[in-house]
Amino acid sequence: MIKFVNVTKAFDKSNPLFENLNLEIKDNDFVFIIGKSGAGKTTLLSLIINKIKLDDGQIIVDNLKVDKKFNKTDRLRQKIGFVFQDFKLLPAKNIYENIAVSLQILKFPRSEFDYEIKKVLKIVDLEGKELYFPNQLSAGEQQRAAIARAVAGNRPILLADEPTGNLDPENSWKIMQIFSKLKAKRTIVIATHNTDIVNSFQQRVIRLDQGKIISDKVGGNYSL
Ligand SMILES: Nc1ncnc2c1ncn2[C@@H]1O[C@H](COP(=O)(O)OP(=O)(O)O)[C@@H](O)[C@H]1O
Ligand SMILES: [Mg+2]
Protein backbone atom coordinates (compact mmCIF):
# COMPACT_ATOMS: atom_id res chain seq x y z
CA MET A 1 0.00 0.00 0.00
CA ILE A 2 1.10 3.52 -0.76
CA LYS A 3 -0.87 6.15 1.09
CA PHE A 4 -0.28 9.90 0.97
CA VAL A 5 -1.67 11.58 4.07
CA ASN A 6 -1.84 15.38 3.92
CA VAL A 7 1.41 15.58 2.01
CA THR A 8 2.81 19.04 1.45
CA LYS A 9 5.82 19.84 -0.71
CA ALA A 10 6.91 23.34 -1.57
CA PHE A 11 10.00 24.03 -3.66
CA ASP A 12 8.90 27.63 -3.38
CA LYS A 13 7.44 28.39 0.06
CA SER A 14 5.03 30.96 -1.27
CA ASN A 15 3.64 28.57 -3.86
CA PRO A 16 3.54 24.92 -2.70
CA LEU A 17 3.38 22.27 -5.40
CA PHE A 18 1.47 19.78 -3.23
CA GLU A 19 -0.69 20.99 -0.38
CA ASN A 20 -2.37 18.39 1.85
CA LEU A 21 -2.34 15.81 -0.90
CA ASN A 22 -4.19 12.60 -0.08
CA LEU A 23 -4.00 9.52 -2.23
CA GLU A 24 -4.26 5.80 -1.68
CA ILE A 25 -2.85 3.12 -3.93
CA LYS A 26 -3.72 -0.38 -2.83
CA ASP A 27 -1.59 -3.49 -3.19
CA ASN A 28 -1.59 -4.80 -6.75
CA ASP A 29 -3.14 -1.63 -8.15
CA PHE A 30 -1.98 -0.59 -11.61
CA VAL A 31 -2.09 3.19 -11.81
CA PHE A 32 -1.18 5.77 -14.41
CA ILE A 33 -0.27 9.29 -13.34
CA ILE A 34 -0.87 11.74 -16.16
CA GLY A 35 -0.72 15.49 -16.50
CA LYS A 36 1.11 18.15 -18.45
CA SER A 37 4.79 18.80 -18.03
CA GLY A 38 5.29 20.50 -14.66
CA ALA A 39 2.13 18.99 -13.14
CA GLY A 40 4.12 17.18 -10.43
CA LYS A 41 4.36 13.59 -11.70
CA THR A 42 8.11 13.18 -11.16
CA THR A 43 7.95 14.88 -7.78
CA LEU A 44 5.11 12.60 -6.67
CA LEU A 45 7.13 9.48 -7.53
CA SER A 46 10.32 10.95 -6.04
CA LEU A 47 8.55 11.63 -2.73
CA ILE A 48 7.57 7.95 -2.51
CA ILE A 49 11.20 6.84 -2.72
CA ASN A 50 12.34 9.75 -0.50
CA LYS A 51 14.56 11.10 -3.27
CA ILE A 52 12.77 14.38 -2.71
CA LYS A 53 11.87 15.07 0.91
CA LEU A 54 8.35 16.11 1.81
CA ASP A 55 7.74 19.18 3.98
CA ASP A 56 4.72 17.96 5.87
CA GLY A 57 2.41 14.98 6.18
CA GLN A 58 3.48 11.41 5.54
CA ILE A 59 3.54 8.68 2.95
CA ILE A 60 2.87 5.22 4.25
CA VAL A 61 4.61 2.56 2.18
CA ASP A 62 3.52 -0.78 3.65
CA ASN A 63 4.99 -0.73 7.16
CA LEU A 64 7.19 2.33 6.61
CA LYS A 65 6.12 5.85 7.42
CA VAL A 66 7.93 8.36 5.25
CA ASP A 67 7.77 11.77 6.87
CA LYS A 68 10.14 14.73 6.79
CA LYS A 69 12.48 13.06 9.27
CA PHE A 70 12.53 9.71 7.49
CA ASN A 71 16.05 8.38 6.93
CA LYS A 72 15.69 4.67 6.18
CA THR A 73 15.90 5.11 2.44
CA ASP A 74 17.56 1.70 2.08
CA ARG A 75 14.47 0.02 3.47
CA LEU A 76 12.33 1.81 0.89
CA ARG A 77 14.66 0.70 -1.90
CA GLN A 78 14.23 -2.87 -0.76
CA LYS A 79 10.53 -2.63 -1.50
CA ILE A 80 10.49 -0.34 -4.50
CA GLY A 81 12.02 -0.70 -7.94
CA PHE A 82 12.26 2.47 -10.03
CA VAL A 83 12.37 2.77 -13.82
CA PHE A 84 13.60 6.05 -15.32
CA GLN A 85 12.93 7.62 -18.69
CA ASP A 86 16.66 7.47 -19.52
CA PHE A 87 17.22 3.94 -18.12
CA LYS A 88 20.13 4.88 -15.81
CA LEU A 89 21.96 1.59 -16.20
CA LEU A 90 25.52 1.69 -14.90
CA PRO A 91 27.58 2.00 -18.12
CA ALA A 92 30.73 0.28 -16.82
CA LYS A 93 28.85 -2.77 -15.61
CA ASN A 94 27.31 -5.50 -17.72
CA ILE A 95 23.63 -6.42 -17.42
CA TYR A 96 24.32 -9.18 -14.91
CA GLU A 97 26.27 -6.77 -12.71
CA ASN A 98 23.64 -4.03 -13.04
CA ILE A 99 21.00 -6.40 -11.70
CA ALA A 100 23.39 -7.78 -9.08
CA VAL A 101 23.77 -4.28 -7.60
CA SER A 102 20.02 -4.17 -7.12
CA LEU A 103 20.04 -7.59 -5.42
CA GLN A 104 22.86 -6.51 -3.09
CA ILE A 105 20.62 -3.73 -1.77
CA LEU A 106 18.14 -6.46 -0.82
CA LYS A 107 20.86 -8.57 0.79
CA PHE A 108 19.63 -11.29 -1.52
CA PRO A 109 21.62 -14.52 -1.06
CA ARG A 110 24.58 -14.44 -3.45
CA SER A 111 24.22 -18.14 -4.22
CA GLU A 112 20.83 -17.33 -5.80
CA PHE A 113 21.97 -14.40 -7.95
CA ASP A 114 22.44 -16.49 -11.11
CA TYR A 115 18.99 -18.00 -10.86
CA GLU A 116 17.24 -14.72 -10.05
CA ILE A 117 19.02 -12.75 -12.77
CA LYS A 118 18.17 -15.39 -15.35
CA LYS A 119 14.57 -15.31 -14.18
CA VAL A 120 14.11 -11.53 -14.46
CA LEU A 121 15.91 -11.40 -17.83
CA LYS A 122 13.48 -14.01 -19.11
CA ILE A 123 10.51 -11.88 -18.00
CA VAL A 124 11.81 -8.93 -20.06
CA ASP A 125 12.76 -11.11 -23.03
CA LEU A 126 16.52 -10.60 -22.67
CA GLU A 127 17.59 -14.15 -22.00
CA GLY A 128 21.28 -14.69 -22.52
CA LYS A 129 22.22 -10.99 -22.48
CA GLU A 130 23.90 -11.13 -19.06
CA LEU A 131 27.35 -10.24 -20.35
CA TYR A 132 26.32 -7.39 -22.63
CA PHE A 133 27.13 -3.85 -21.59
CA PRO A 134 24.40 -1.19 -21.80
CA ASN A 135 25.94 0.44 -24.88
CA GLN A 136 25.74 -2.89 -26.71
CA LEU A 137 21.96 -2.94 -26.38
CA SER A 138 19.28 -0.98 -28.23
CA ALA A 139 17.30 1.65 -26.32
CA GLY A 140 14.34 -0.69 -25.97
CA GLU A 141 16.59 -3.47 -24.69
CA GLN A 142 18.23 -1.10 -22.20
CA GLN A 143 14.86 -0.14 -20.80
CA ARG A 144 13.90 -3.80 -20.53
CA ALA A 145 17.15 -4.47 -18.64
CA ALA A 146 16.29 -1.55 -16.35
CA ILE A 147 12.88 -3.11 -15.66
CA ALA A 148 14.57 -6.44 -14.88
CA ARG A 149 16.81 -4.61 -12.39
CA ALA A 150 13.79 -2.88 -10.82
CA VAL A 151 11.84 -6.07 -10.20
CA ALA A 152 14.77 -8.29 -9.23
CA GLY A 153 14.36 -9.97 -5.88
CA ASN A 154 10.55 -9.72 -6.01
CA ARG A 155 10.23 -6.10 -5.01
CA PRO A 156 6.48 -5.60 -4.50
CA ILE A 157 6.29 -2.03 -5.84
CA LEU A 158 7.36 -0.76 -9.26
CA LEU A 159 7.42 2.96 -10.04
CA ALA A 160 8.18 4.21 -13.53
CA ASP A 161 8.70 7.81 -14.64
CA GLU A 162 7.96 8.25 -18.37
CA PRO A 163 9.35 4.77 -19.10
CA THR A 164 8.53 5.01 -22.82
CA GLY A 165 9.59 8.65 -23.19
CA ASN A 166 12.80 7.83 -25.06
CA LEU A 167 11.41 4.98 -27.17
CA ASP A 168 9.71 4.61 -30.53
CA PRO A 169 6.09 3.35 -30.61
CA GLU A 170 7.02 -0.27 -31.23
CA ASN A 171 9.44 -0.44 -28.32
CA SER A 172 7.00 1.51 -26.15
CA TRP A 173 4.34 -1.15 -26.65
CA LYS A 174 6.80 -3.88 -25.87
CA ILE A 175 7.68 -2.16 -22.59
CA MET A 176 4.00 -1.81 -21.75
CA GLN A 177 3.38 -5.50 -22.45
CA ILE A 178 6.07 -6.26 -19.89
CA PHE A 179 4.42 -4.03 -17.28
CA SER A 180 1.19 -5.80 -18.06
CA LYS A 181 2.83 -9.17 -17.48
CA LEU A 182 4.28 -7.91 -14.19
CA LYS A 183 1.09 -6.49 -12.78
CA ALA A 184 -0.37 -9.68 -11.37
CA LYS A 185 2.05 -9.73 -8.47
CA ARG A 186 2.88 -6.13 -7.69
CA THR A 187 1.77 -2.55 -7.35
CA ILE A 188 2.69 -0.53 -10.42
CA VAL A 189 2.60 3.26 -10.78
CA ILE A 190 3.55 4.76 -14.14
CA ALA A 191 3.87 8.47 -14.86
CA THR A 192 3.41 9.07 -18.56
CA HIS A 193 2.57 11.49 -21.33
CA ASN A 194 1.57 8.67 -23.63
CA THR A 195 -2.21 8.93 -23.76
CA ASP A 196 -2.46 6.19 -26.43
CA ILE A 197 -1.04 3.74 -23.93
CA VAL A 198 -3.16 5.04 -21.06
CA ASN A 199 -6.32 4.80 -23.14
CA SER A 200 -5.62 1.28 -24.33
CA PHE A 201 -4.95 -0.06 -20.82
CA GLN A 202 -8.27 0.94 -19.19
CA GLN A 203 -6.73 1.10 -15.72
CA ARG A 204 -6.91 3.62 -12.91
CA VAL A 205 -5.77 7.04 -14.13
CA ILE A 206 -4.85 9.89 -11.78
CA ARG A 207 -4.59 13.24 -13.48
CA LEU A 208 -2.46 15.93 -11.88
CA ASP A 209 -2.61 19.61 -12.66
CA GLN A 210 -0.31 22.01 -10.80
CA GLY A 211 0.09 19.52 -7.96
CA LYS A 212 -3.63 18.82 -7.55
CA ILE A 213 -5.44 15.61 -8.36
CA ILE A 214 -8.11 16.79 -10.76
CA SER A 215 -9.46 13.36 -11.62
CA ASP A 216 -9.00 9.79 -10.44
CA LYS A 217 -10.95 7.09 -12.23
CA VAL A 218 -10.71 3.86 -14.14
CA GLY A 219 -10.94 3.96 -17.91
CA GLY A 220 -9.63 5.67 -21.00
CA ASN A 221 -10.36 8.49 -23.40
CA TYR A 222 -7.67 10.84 -22.15
CA SER A 223 -5.85 13.64 -23.88
CA LEU A 224 -3.39 16.05 -22.37
N1 LIG B 1 14.27 20.22 -7.57
C1 LIG B 1 13.37 21.17 -7.86
N2 LIG B 1 13.56 22.47 -7.47
C2 LIG B 1 12.65 23.41 -7.73
N3 LIG B 1 11.49 23.19 -8.38
C3 LIG B 1 11.25 21.94 -8.79
C4 LIG B 1 12.16 20.87 -8.55
N4 LIG B 1 11.64 19.72 -9.07
C5 LIG B 1 10.46 20.08 -9.61
N5 LIG B 1 10.21 21.40 -9.44
C6 LIG B 1 9.00 22.12 -9.89
O1 LIG B 1 7.87 21.39 -9.49
C7 LIG B 1 6.89 21.36 -10.53
C8 LIG B 1 6.57 19.94 -10.89
O2 LIG B 1 7.69 19.34 -11.54
P1 LIG B 1 7.74 17.80 -11.93
O3 LIG B 1 7.35 17.00 -10.74
O4 LIG B 1 9.04 17.54 -12.54
O5 LIG B 1 6.56 17.71 -13.02
P2 LIG B 1 6.29 16.65 -14.18
O6 LIG B 1 7.09 15.42 -13.89
O7 LIG B 1 4.80 16.41 -14.13
O8 LIG B 1 6.69 17.30 -15.45
C9 LIG B 1 7.45 22.19 -11.66
O9 LIG B 1 6.94 23.50 -11.53
C10 LIG B 1 8.94 22.16 -11.40
O10 LIG B 1 9.55 23.31 -11.88
MG1 LIG C 1 8.45 14.42 -15.01
Side-chain angles (χ1 to χ4, degrees):
M1 189 216 3
I2 303 169
K3 189 174 177 185
F4 282 63
V5 184
N6 294 325
V7 171
T8 294
K9 175 69 201 177
F11 293 110
D12 165 7
K13 293 287 173 232
S14 64
N15 182 23
L17 174 62
F18 296 125
E19 213 168 1
N20 295 315
L21 184 78
N22 289 290
L23 168 65
E24 183 166 349
I25 297 172
K26 295 203 163 64
D27 288 345
N28 296 326
D29 259 4
F30 188 104
V31 183
F32 288 112
I33 311 282
I34 65 167
K36 296 193 182 80
S37 180
K41 304 180 296 296
T42 296
T43 307
L44 186 124
L45 295 180
S46 304
L47 289 169
I48 299 172
I49 52 168
N50 202 37
K51 187 173 157 199
I52 293 179
K53 290 206 164 285
L54 47 73
D55 296 322
D56 213 348
Q58 52 184 254
I59 304 171
I60 298 162
V61 183
D62 294 340
N63 56 337
L64 297 176
K65 195 166 81 181
V66 181
D67 56 18
K68 65 180 173 193
K69 291 179 301 197
F70 183 83
N71 60 9
K72 297 181 192 124
T73 303
D74 280 3
R75 300 214 16 223
L76 274 177
R77 300 224 174 128
Q78 291 170 348
K79 293 179 186 294
I80 303 177
F82 203 100
V83 173
F84 302 89
Q85 177 171 352
D86 59 352
F87 327 138
K88 295 207 191 304
L89 293 165
L90 301 169
K93 292 191 187 290
N94 65 30
I95 298 307
Y96 182 101
E97 292 161 343
N98 267 278
I99 301 171
V101 168
S102 150
L103 291 173
Q104 279 160 9
I105 294 170
L106 291 177
K107 303 191 171 56
F108 201 81
R110 193 160 280 274
S111 60
E112 292 171 28
F113 274 28
D114 286 5
Y115 176 86
E116 180 67 13
I117 291 170
K118 210 175 167 140
K119 186 185 91 184
V120 291
L121 285 177
K122 183 161 188 222
I123 294 172
V124 300
D125 201 14
L126 284 179
E127 280 170 291
K129 301 275 187 184
E130 282 89 341
L131 301 182
Y132 284 63
F133 284 83
N135 68 6
Q136 295 175 303
L137 299 179
S138 71
E141 288 173 326
Q142 288 183 55
Q143 190 60 303
R144 276 147 51 201
I147 294 171
R149 174 179 64 177
V151 299
N154 290 316
R155 287 175 168 83
I157 300 173
L158 180 57
L159 307 181
D161 192 8
E162 310 270 7
T164 62
N166 286 13
L167 303 177
D168 61 31
E170 196 181 323
N171 278 302
S172 298
W173 283 106
K174 180 138 193 164
I175 294 292
M176 292 312 300
Q177 275 156 14
I178 291 166
F179 283 123
S180 203
K181 204 154 68 169
L182 290 167
K183 81 179 192 300
K185 289 187 199 152
R186 43 180 76 70
T187 308
I188 300 183
V189 185
I190 302 175
T192 185
H193 267 103
N194 193 328
T195 48
D196 287 345
I197 283 174
V198 173
N199 290 333
S200 80
F201 266 67
Q202 300 283 318
Q203 296 286 335
R204 181 176 175 193
V205 183
I206 295 170
R207 186 198 285 264
L208 284 179
D209 185 24
Q210 295 180 33
K212 293 198 170 52
I213 295 175
I214 57 166
S215 84
D216 182 352
K217 56 185 184 219
V218 175
N221 206 17
Y222 289 89
S223 57
L224 282 181

